[in-house]
């Protein structure tokens, strides 16, 4: 663990009384290794280390009996505050329906998330409509329909060969007309470098003006998380992030990377395959997971 | 990096950065750099312009370390079991493989053994209909091992050359799910008398260091024969497979380069390394 690695670095401090530049460099290297191992983007790591280094040579650390533990606490506090400090909420639109649009790369868990959010709102007594706007993936519509059926939540699907934008627009009119308070739109997974698919998202967002666009990212994403997030934010614009598959052993450094480069907070985490497996994101818990 | 004229500390830092950016991971990046330094000591550069080729040579050296036993022969039927974590690209990769083998004249059968996820069986059936291949399937919720048992028998009865088994996505840390996939493989081994079974792990090219954990645990459970690296058409480099080959000797067999059925290619080391360093 980082605590053990840092106690090794600071083991020989006692009797010397102050950190040498070499001690600080060794400590920073251990922190860098821990963060890279956790899949934090290497540029974000460099900035983070620069920020932490200044504080690590402060008075409290030097006077402490356990400088290694103090540095770990410093790193943890810094990570927590960088990821937003405390949980962020989704909120509701001024007038219904509140529209939530889910976007992201292939296989990250968007369709599952649509069902999870649907269940969450349904449990709060809201009338929810799910839109099956992935018109490309084989059986994507059936997947959302099956989930809707299991949860007794309505699913809007388009006609055969109907473009995603039309499906989205018609689902909005239905939601509005039939008094749904929440409209959750599932979209097809797509690459951030696929211009025509990114344009499709832009057109849906322009037409529907969703209250929240959520970028859905897999917790095991590596260095590429930064490229993906920046491009999605630039091309479409999103309000929050959902990090999925946190029930595995991925450290989830992408959570820090995405927040650092886009400023957008992680709002929820996926913790399993079932509709109930959705939790609010707690920055401090994520910080200790990233540190390892 | 390679426009620098001097091989100094800054050069080594930049080289480490490129490798880290590609998800190679620190330990493997350092190993590559140490390997390159040793090579340069042994046969110094005549010109810094030779550096890119030397670096590529060192990385290719890692890629050539495959050390998995060959798939045993002795059966007209080959069974491929496709496994991996949720959403990696298994079902789509199976459609691609089935299409490829079918096009080259093999008689292919698919087993829809993801009996868990919503519309998993429907997804397989749609692909199979598109490419003209048969599917063995049961109801959603049925026992995956039972589907596999039926599929092996059907493959033998119908004279299929290749049976490809689609399995449910599973996180490698979930012990009951890993026990389930071990049971599926045991059923295949029993019905095939151990012959001609290939187990392939699908890894998403955007995966970071967790890919090594995935490979280790799936390998412990199943003795993998190879990896399919999917979604290499994005901006991620898939460098984690270098750490995997270095640690476990498991080679990449195919790469996925898109969502269409044609978007599958055999893994080619030189192209992979060029892309990693670009
Ligand atoms: N373990 C785990 N699995 C998850 C989680 N969220 C989704 N999954 C699984 O991940 C796989 C992919 O989920 P989908 O919801 O189909 O992903 P998607 O983003 O809609 O995929 P595309 O539409 O193809 O882009 C499925 O097997 C889901 O059951 C999670 O939080 N934990
Ligand atoms: N761009 C791209 N997308 C891919 C590739 N391979 C698969 N996909 C997409 O990734 C998503 C998930 O693919 P699936 O084949 O359903 O993945 P899976 O591993 O079977 O998922 P589960 O069964 O839910 O665990 C789909 O949207 C696919 O179209 C690839 O090589 N490139
Ligand atoms: Mg989907
Ligand atoms: Mg599948």
């Amino acid at each position: 663990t980082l605590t053990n690695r840092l106690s090794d670095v600071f083991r020989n401090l006692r009797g010397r009384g102050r950190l040498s530049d070499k001690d600080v460099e060794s400590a920073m290297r251990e922190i860098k290794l821990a963060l890279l191992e956790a899949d934090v983007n290497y540029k974000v790591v460099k900035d983070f280390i620069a920020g932490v280094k200044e504080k690590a040579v402060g008075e409290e650390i030097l006077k402490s009996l356990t400088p290694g533990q103090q540095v770990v606490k410093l790193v943890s506090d810094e990570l927590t505050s960088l990821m937003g400090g405390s949980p962020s909420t989704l909120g509701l639109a001024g007038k219904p329906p509140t529209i939530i649009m889910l976007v992201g790369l292939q296989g990250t868990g968007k369709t599952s998330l649509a069902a999870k959010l649907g269940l969450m709102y349904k449990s709060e007594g809201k009338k929810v409509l799910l839109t099956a706007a992935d018109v490309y993936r084989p059986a994507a519509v059936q997947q959302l329909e099956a989930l809707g059926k299991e949860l007794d939540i309505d699913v809007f699907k388009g006609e055969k060969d109907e473009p995603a934008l039309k499906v989205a627009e018609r689902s909005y009119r239905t939601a509005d007309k039939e008094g749904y308070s929440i409209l959750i739109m599932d979209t097809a997974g797509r690459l951030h470098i696929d211009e025509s698919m990114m344009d499709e998202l832009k057109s849906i967002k322009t037409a529907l003006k969703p209250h929240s666009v959520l970028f859905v990212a897999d917790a095991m994403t590596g260095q590429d998380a930064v490229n993906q997030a920046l491009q999605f934010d630039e091309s479409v614009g999103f309000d929050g992030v959902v990090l999925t598959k946190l029930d595995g052993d991925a450290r989830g450094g992408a959570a820090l990377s995405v927040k650092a480069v886009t400023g957008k907070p992680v709002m929820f985490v996926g913790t399993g395959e079932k509709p109930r497996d959705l939790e609010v994101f707690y920055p401090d818990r994520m910080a200790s997971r990233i540190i390892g | 990096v390679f426009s620098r004229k001097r091989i100094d500390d800054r050069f080594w830092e930049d080289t480490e950065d490129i490798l880290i950016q590609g998800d190679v991971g620190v330990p493997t990046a350092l190993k590559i750099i140490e390997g390159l330094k040793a090579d340069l000591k042994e046969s110094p550069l005549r010109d810094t312009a030779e550096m890119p080729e030397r670096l590529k040579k060192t990385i290719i050296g890692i890629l050539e370390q495959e050390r998995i036993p060959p798939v045993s022969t002795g059966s007209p039927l080959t069974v491929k079991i496709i496994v991996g974590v949720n959403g990696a690209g298994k079902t789509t990769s199976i459609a691609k493989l089935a299409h490829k083998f079918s096009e080259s004249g093999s008689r292919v059968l698919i087993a829809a053994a993801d009996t868990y996820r919503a519309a998993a069986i429907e997804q397989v059936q749609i692909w199979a209909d598109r490419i003209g291949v048969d599917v063995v399937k049961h109801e959603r919720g049925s026992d995956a091992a039972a589907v596999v048992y039926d599929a092996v028998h059907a493959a033998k009865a119908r004279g299929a050359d290749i049976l490809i088994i689609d399995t449910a996505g599973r996180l490698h840390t979930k012990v009951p799910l890993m026990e389930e996939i071990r049971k599926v493989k045991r059923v295949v081994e029993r019905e095939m008398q151990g012959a001609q079974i290939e187990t392939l792990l699908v890894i998403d090219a955007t995966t970071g260091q967790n890919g090594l954990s995935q490979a280790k645990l799936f390998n412990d459970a199943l003795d993998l024969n190879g990896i399919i690296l999917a979604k290499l058409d994005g901006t991620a480099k898939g460098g984690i497979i270098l750490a995997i080959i270095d640690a476990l000797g498991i080679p990449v067999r195919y790469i996925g380069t898109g969502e269409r059925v044609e978007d599958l290619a055999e893994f080619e080391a030189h192209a992979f390394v060029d892309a990693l360093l670009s």
Side-chain angles (χ1 to χ4, degrees), chain A residues 29 32-33 36-39 42 46 105-107 136-139 142-143 146-147 150 189-193 218 220-224 227-228 245 247-251 271-274, chain B residues 16-17 20-23 26 30 85-88 116-119 122-123 126-127 130 140 169-174 177 204 206-210 213-214 217 231 233-236 259:
Chain A
R29 176 141 185 97
K32 174 183 162 188
L33 292 178
L36 287 176
E37 191 182 278
D39 290 321
Y42 83 110
K46 286 188 185 188
L105 272 74
Q106 292 89 345
Y136 307 96
R137 169 173 152 155
Q142 288 100 306
Q143 185 184 0
L147 290 168
E150 276 170 40
R190 67 202 66 214
L191 292 178
H192 49 301
I193 51 173
D218 197 317
M220 58 187 185
T221 309
Q223 298 290 307
D224 199 49
N227 302 328
Q228 300 172 11
K245 307 176 201 169
D247 43 317
D249 61 345
R251 301 265 287 280
T271 56
E273 294 192 69
K274 299 242 175 293
Chain B
E16 184 179 320
D17 282 352
I20 297 292
Q21 252 185 87
D23 286 314
V26 173
L30 294 180
V85 301
N86 308 75
Y116 175 78
R117 205 205 70 208
E122 290 83 338
Q123 185 185 5
I126 291 174
W127 276 120
R130 284 186 192 176
R140 183 183 176 196
R170 70 203 62 229
L171 294 184
H172 46 299
T173 45
K174 300 200 168 171
L177 299 186
D204 185 327
T206 65
T207 308
Q209 297 311 296
N210 194 250
S213 174
Q214 294 175 25
L217 294 189
K231 307 179 198 169
D233 47 313
T235 51
E259 300 192 71

Side-chain angles (χ1 to χ4, degrees), chain A residues 106-107 137 191, chain B residues 85-93 96 114 117 123 166-169 230-233 256-259 263:
Chain A
Q106 292 89 345
R137 169 173 152 155
L191 292 178
Chain B
V85 301
N86 308 75
K90 299 175 292 300
T91 305
T92 309
S93 299
K96 295 172 183 179
D114 177 355
R117 205 205 70 208
Q123 185 185 5
D166 188 20
T167 64
K231 307 179 198 169
L232 211 47
D233 47 313
T257 58
E259 300 192 71
D263 296 330

Side-chain angles (χ1 to χ4, degrees), chain A residues 37-63:
Chain A
E37 191 182 278
D39 290 321
V40 179
N41 182 269
Y42 83 110
K43 285 191 186 146
V44 173
V45 172
K46 286 188 185 188
D47 291 343
F48 182 83
I49 299 287
V52 160
K53 192 172 174 182
E54 286 184 42
K55 299 186 182 181
V57 292
E59 276 303 303
E60 290 74 41
I61 307 274
L62 297 182
K63 292 200 174 130

Side-chain angles (χ1 to χ4, degrees), chain B residues 14-131:
Chain B
D14 289 351
T15 302
E16 184 179 320
D17 282 352
I18 284 197
L19 295 173
I20 297 292
Q21 252 185 87
D23 286 314
V24 167
V26 173
T28 309
L30 294 180
K31 183 164 189 170
I32 290 169
I33 287 174
E34 290 315 307
L36 180 53
K37 284 180 176 170
D39 175 57
L40 292 177
K41 220 174 187 168
E42 201 170 300
S43 43
L45 294 178
R46 286 162 304 169
D47 179 337
T48 54
E50 292 174 22
M51 186 54 103
E53 278 311 307
R54 292 295 198 90
L55 176 57
K56 282 184 203 169
K57 187 161 146 289
T58 308
I59 301 175
I60 301 250
I62 294 193
L63 285 171
E64 292 175 342
Q65 285 178 58
E66 39 172 290
R67 43 189 192 275
I68 45 128
V71 175
S72 65
T73 54
S75 158
L77 169 68
T78 296
V79 180
K80 297 182 194 287
I81 309 173
I82 311 301
V83 302
V85 301
N86 308 75
K90 299 175 292 300
T91 305
T92 309
S93 299
I94 286 168
K96 295 172 183 179
L97 285 171
H99 173 70
K100 169 181 152 70
F101 295 129
S102 179
E103 290 280 284
S104 62
S106 296
R107 184 169 182 149
V108 183
L109 187 63
I110 297 176
D114 177 355
T115 54
Y116 175 78
R117 205 205 70 208
I121 297 169
E122 290 83 338
Q123 185 185 5
V124 171
Q125 189 63 64
I126 291 174
W127 276 120
D129 291 345
R130 284 186 192 176
I131 63 182

